[in-house]
Amino acid sequence: MVKSCAMKGTDLKHPFSWEERQPVLHQGVFFVPKFYDQHKLRNPPLWEDSKKPVFIEYCSGNGAWILQKALHGCDAYWVAVEQKFERVRKIWKKMHNLNVRNLLVVSGEARTFTTHYLPDACVDGIFINFPDPWPKTKHAKNRLVQEPFVSELARVLKAGGKATFVTDHALYCQQIIAAMQGHASFQPDFPAPYFVTEWADYGTSYFESLWKSKGLTIHYMVFEKR
Ligand SMILES: C[S@@+](CC[C@H](N)C(=O)[O-])C[C@H]1O[C@@H](n2cnc3c(N)ncnc32)[C@H](O)[C@@H]1O
């Protein structure tokens, strides 16, 4: 009988205990600890060949979208940032089983990773597909795409680089447009109302398939760094 060498998500072990938490690159995953006050790197050796473009997807979930991009975009580095370890394990498992070598998985929170570990103007493109909408007004303060995260996106994107956002949530769409329009570094790619609802070859993710199957309208927004 042929023994299968396929990885399981549980093959990825968490590298530190709570008391010993520290930023560490382990088994192809960069772990950014929570509730940690000694972040100090701005130049980690996260990708070896700085000549290749770097694209980041924040809030990657199970990684379906970025794995397809990395598989078909071997001339670039892709970075998947996801804060839930169980979802990081899913991305990591598929990355190994599909032999994807140009993807770095970051197990950590988007703003913390960006603020402490990304140098200025190091990223060619940013994607955020279906960030948690926090639909109740009293929870809206938890939405990721607002200041100060937008300023961090402006800092790490190269001039001419683009930030792409996708959401089914009409109010969050309006909030993203207002936040990006309100930042001097960004200009919208699409004319008013600054989003489109069809993008045939954009790629698919778990939530994109789910919301489309329920007939929801998807809003795609793109902003260019001046
Ligand atoms: C609605 S899901 C979308 C997942 C995926 N992009 C998709 O389209 O299927 C949102 C994901 O963002 C992650 N997330 C939310 N806030 C985050 C943050 N601040 N930093 C990193 N990940 C975050 C959640 O854990 C969750 O996996």
Side-chain angles (χ1 to χ4, degrees), residues 57-62 81-84 87 108-110 129-132 144 205-208:
E57 184 198 21
Y58 293 102
C59 303
S60 298
N62 68 13
V81 184
E82 170 53 51
Q83 66 181 3
K84 289 192 177 150
R87 293 185 182 172
E109 195 278 321
N129 299 316
F130 301 94
D132 288 334
L144 176 63
S205 71
Y206 176 84
F207 276 89
E208 188 244 19

Tab-separated table of all heavy atoms in Angstrom, residues 57-62 81-84 87 108-110 129-132 144 205-208, ligand 1:
chain	number	residue	atom	x	y	z
A	57	GLU	N	-2.634	39.616	0.826
A	57	GLU	CA	-4.074	39.526	1.088
A	57	GLU	C	-4.265	39.502	2.600
A	57	GLU	O	-3.748	38.604	3.276
A	57	GLU	CB	-4.699	38.254	0.489
A	57	GLU	CG	-6.219	38.254	0.701
A	57	GLU	CD	-6.905	36.901	0.545
A	57	GLU	OE1	-6.231	35.859	0.663
A	57	GLU	OE2	-8.127	36.894	0.361
A	58	TYR	N	-5.016	40.463	3.113
A	58	TYR	CA	-5.383	40.452	4.526
A	58	TYR	C	-6.709	39.718	4.687
A	58	TYR	O	-7.561	39.734	3.798
A	58	TYR	CB	-5.556	41.882	5.043
A	58	TYR	CG	-4.277	42.691	5.085
A	58	TYR	CD1	-3.997	43.630	4.097
A	58	TYR	CD2	-3.352	42.531	6.114
A	58	TYR	CE1	-2.827	44.391	4.134
A	58	TYR	CE2	-2.182	43.290	6.159
A	58	TYR	CZ	-1.935	44.212	5.164
A	58	TYR	OH	-0.772	44.960	5.208
A	59	CYS	N	-6.897	39.086	5.841
A	59	CYS	CA	-8.162	38.405	6.159
A	59	CYS	C	-8.392	37.240	5.198
A	59	CYS	O	-9.464	37.117	4.583
A	59	CYS	CB	-9.332	39.376	6.101
A	59	CYS	SG	-9.153	40.800	7.184
A	60	SER	N	-7.389	36.367	5.075
A	60	SER	CA	-7.401	35.330	4.034
A	60	SER	C	-8.363	34.188	4.295
A	60	SER	O	-8.641	33.401	3.377
A	60	SER	CB	-5.989	34.763	3.856
A	60	SER	OG	-5.115	35.779	3.443
A	61	GLY	N	-8.847	34.030	5.514
A	61	GLY	CA	-9.779	32.932	5.796
A	61	GLY	C	-9.115	31.590	5.515
A	61	GLY	O	-8.002	31.324	5.992
A	62	ASN	N	-9.753	30.729	4.713
A	62	ASN	CA	-9.154	29.412	4.436
A	62	ASN	C	-8.182	29.470	3.259
A	62	ASN	O	-7.657	28.436	2.843
A	62	ASN	CB	-10.241	28.360	4.209
A	62	ASN	CG	-11.020	28.589	2.924
A	62	ASN	OD1	-10.620	29.385	2.075
A	62	ASN	ND2	-12.122	27.885	2.765
A	81	VAL	N	-2.461	36.994	5.303
A	81	VAL	CA	-2.484	37.401	6.717
A	81	VAL	C	-3.834	36.996	7.306
A	81	VAL	O	-4.884	37.452	6.835
A	81	VAL	CB	-2.277	38.922	6.869
A	81	VAL	CG1	-2.215	39.304	8.343
A	81	VAL	CG2	-1.024	39.377	6.132
A	82	GLU	N	-3.791	36.160	8.320
A	82	GLU	CA	-5.035	35.655	8.930
A	82	GLU	C	-4.817	35.527	10.435
A	82	GLU	O	-3.820	34.979	10.875
A	82	GLU	CB	-5.396	34.296	8.295
A	82	GLU	CG	-6.518	33.525	8.954
A	82	GLU	CD	-7.831	34.325	9.135
A	82	GLU	OE1	-8.313	34.930	8.149
A	82	GLU	OE2	-8.334	34.352	10.267
A	83	GLN	N	-5.776	36.009	11.199
A	83	GLN	CA	-5.561	36.017	12.653
A	83	GLN	C	-6.016	34.743	13.361
A	83	GLN	O	-5.607	34.484	14.488
A	83	GLN	CB	-6.206	37.238	13.290
A	83	GLN	CG	-7.712	37.292	13.239
A	83	GLN	CD	-8.270	38.571	13.882
A	83	GLN	OE1	-7.522	39.447	14.318
A	83	GLN	NE2	-9.578	38.672	13.944
A	84	LYS	N	-6.898	33.946	12.728
A	84	LYS	CA	-7.358	32.726	13.411
A	84	LYS	C	-6.437	31.548	13.063
A	84	LYS	O	-6.299	31.182	11.889
A	84	LYS	CB	-8.790	32.394	12.993
A	84	LYS	CG	-9.803	33.362	13.557
A	84	LYS	CD	-11.216	32.879	13.379
A	84	LYS	CE	-12.175	33.868	14.027
A	84	LYS	NZ	-13.477	33.920	13.395
A	87	ARG	N	-7.609	28.718	10.838
A	87	ARG	CA	-7.661	29.047	9.400
A	87	ARG	C	-6.240	29.106	8.823
A	87	ARG	O	-6.022	28.714	7.684
A	87	ARG	CB	-8.441	30.344	9.186
A	87	ARG	CG	-9.894	30.127	9.557
A	87	ARG	CD	-10.789	31.299	9.287
A	87	ARG	NE	-12.130	30.947	9.740
A	87	ARG	CZ	-13.147	31.782	9.811
A	87	ARG	NH1	-13.003	33.030	9.419
A	87	ARG	NH2	-14.322	31.375	10.240
A	108	GLY	N	-1.458	36.186	12.362
A	108	GLY	CA	-1.468	37.363	13.212
A	108	GLY	C	-2.492	38.373	12.746
A	108	GLY	O	-3.180	38.181	11.739
A	109	GLU	N	-2.540	39.448	13.487
A	109	GLU	CA	-3.533	40.488	13.233
A	109	GLU	C	-2.982	41.478	12.182
A	109	GLU	O	-1.803	41.848	12.221
A	109	GLU	CB	-3.842	41.193	14.565
A	109	GLU	CG	-5.098	42.030	14.541
A	109	GLU	CD	-4.885	43.401	13.936
A	109	GLU	OE1	-3.820	43.998	14.201
A	109	GLU	OE2	-5.781	43.870	13.198
A	110	ALA	N	-3.856	41.885	11.262
A	110	ALA	CA	-3.435	42.651	10.085
A	110	ALA	C	-2.668	43.933	10.437
A	110	ALA	O	-1.581	44.193	9.910
A	110	ALA	CB	-4.684	43.006	9.263
A	129	ASN	N	-10.449	40.693	0.902
A	129	ASN	CA	-11.667	40.076	0.400
A	129	ASN	C	-12.593	39.716	1.560
A	129	ASN	O	-12.247	38.918	2.417
A	129	ASN	CB	-11.312	38.808	-0.384
A	129	ASN	CG	-10.428	39.121	-1.580
A	129	ASN	OD1	-10.687	40.080	-2.296
A	129	ASN	ND2	-9.382	38.337	-1.782
A	130	PHE	N	-13.718	40.360	1.612
A	130	PHE	CA	-14.753	40.093	2.619
A	130	PHE	C	-14.222	40.224	4.050
A	130	PHE	O	-14.253	39.280	4.835
A	130	PHE	CB	-15.399	38.720	2.374
A	130	PHE	CG	-16.013	38.636	1.015
A	130	PHE	CD1	-15.299	38.102	-0.054
A	130	PHE	CD2	-17.286	39.135	0.790
A	130	PHE	CE1	-15.850	38.084	-1.328
A	130	PHE	CE2	-17.838	39.114	-0.483
A	130	PHE	CZ	-17.118	38.585	-1.544
A	131	PRO	N	-13.685	41.418	4.372
A	131	PRO	CA	-13.316	41.656	5.777
A	131	PRO	C	-14.580	41.571	6.642
A	131	PRO	O	-15.678	41.901	6.169
A	131	PRO	CB	-12.764	43.091	5.743
A	131	PRO	CG	-13.396	43.720	4.533
A	131	PRO	CD	-13.580	42.630	3.536
A	132	ASP	N	-14.407	41.139	7.884
A	132	ASP	CA	-15.580	41.012	8.769
A	132	ASP	C	-16.345	42.334	8.789
A	132	ASP	O	-15.768	43.381	9.120
A	132	ASP	CB	-15.143	40.639	10.186
A	132	ASP	CG	-14.657	39.193	10.263
A	132	ASP	OD1	-15.101	38.373	9.430
A	132	ASP	OD2	-13.824	38.908	11.140
A	144	LEU	N	-11.929	46.725	10.168
A	144	LEU	CA	-10.496	46.882	9.895
A	144	LEU	C	-10.199	48.088	9.011
A	144	LEU	O	-9.236	48.833	9.255
A	144	LEU	CB	-9.974	45.590	9.215
A	144	LEU	CG	-8.520	45.598	8.773
A	144	LEU	CD1	-7.585	45.749	9.978
A	144	LEU	CD2	-8.189	44.298	8.022
A	205	SER	N	-13.404	33.075	-3.593
A	205	SER	CA	-13.070	32.737	-2.207
A	205	SER	C	-14.290	32.050	-1.605
A	205	SER	O	-15.372	32.037	-2.209
A	205	SER	CB	-12.731	34.000	-1.407
A	205	SER	OG	-13.902	34.768	-1.182
A	206	TYR	N	-14.110	31.506	-0.421
A	206	TYR	CA	-15.224	30.823	0.254
A	206	TYR	C	-16.418	31.767	0.408
A	206	TYR	O	-17.555	31.435	0.063
A	206	TYR	CB	-14.749	30.321	1.621
A	206	TYR	CG	-15.852	29.698	2.434
A	206	TYR	CD1	-16.212	28.368	2.247
A	206	TYR	CD2	-16.561	30.455	3.374
A	206	TYR	CE1	-17.245	27.803	2.972
A	206	TYR	CE2	-17.591	29.894	4.103
A	206	TYR	CZ	-17.921	28.569	3.904
A	206	TYR	OH	-18.952	28.026	4.620
A	207	PHE	N	-16.141	32.996	0.900
A	207	PHE	CA	-17.267	33.912	1.154
A	207	PHE	C	-17.843	34.475	-0.140
A	207	PHE	O	-19.042	34.736	-0.214
A	207	PHE	CB	-16.855	35.015	2.138
A	207	PHE	CG	-16.991	34.552	3.559
A	207	PHE	CD1	-15.941	33.918	4.201
A	207	PHE	CD2	-18.196	34.681	4.240
A	207	PHE	CE1	-16.077	33.438	5.501
A	207	PHE	CE2	-18.343	34.206	5.532
A	207	PHE	CZ	-17.288	33.578	6.166
A	208	GLU	N	-17.012	34.628	-1.159
A	208	GLU	CA	-17.552	35.107	-2.431
A	208	GLU	C	-18.558	34.091	-2.970
A	208	GLU	O	-19.665	34.455	-3.393
A	208	GLU	CB	-16.404	35.325	-3.426
A	208	GLU	CG	-16.822	35.997	-4.697
A	208	GLU	CD	-16.647	35.115	-5.918
A	208	GLU	OE1	-16.553	33.895	-5.774
A	208	GLU	OE2	-16.655	35.649	-7.015
B	1	LIG	C1	-15.512	36.888	6.396
B	1	LIG	S1	-13.990	36.071	6.479
B	1	LIG	C2	-13.397	36.180	4.792
B	1	LIG	C3	-12.378	35.106	4.487
B	1	LIG	C4	-11.886	35.102	3.042
B	1	LIG	N1	-11.257	36.341	2.668
B	1	LIG	C5	-13.001	34.776	2.089
B	1	LIG	O1	-13.365	35.648	1.283
B	1	LIG	O2	-13.490	33.643	2.130
B	1	LIG	C6	-12.987	37.253	7.316
B	1	LIG	C7	-11.649	36.693	7.784
B	1	LIG	O3	-10.828	37.765	8.234
B	1	LIG	C8	-10.140	37.374	9.412
B	1	LIG	N2	-9.836	38.625	10.112
B	1	LIG	C9	-10.737	39.503	10.614
B	1	LIG	N3	-10.109	40.557	11.143
B	1	LIG	C10	-8.782	40.352	10.964
B	1	LIG	C11	-7.614	41.096	11.308
B	1	LIG	N4	-7.704	42.265	11.932
B	1	LIG	N5	-6.409	40.570	10.988
B	1	LIG	C12	-6.311	39.375	10.348
B	1	LIG	N6	-7.380	38.622	10.007
B	1	LIG	C13	-8.597	39.110	10.302
B	1	LIG	C14	-11.121	36.485	10.123
B	1	LIG	O4	-10.482	35.637	11.053
B	1	LIG	C15	-11.741	35.719	8.949
B	1	LIG	O5	-11.005	34.559	8.657
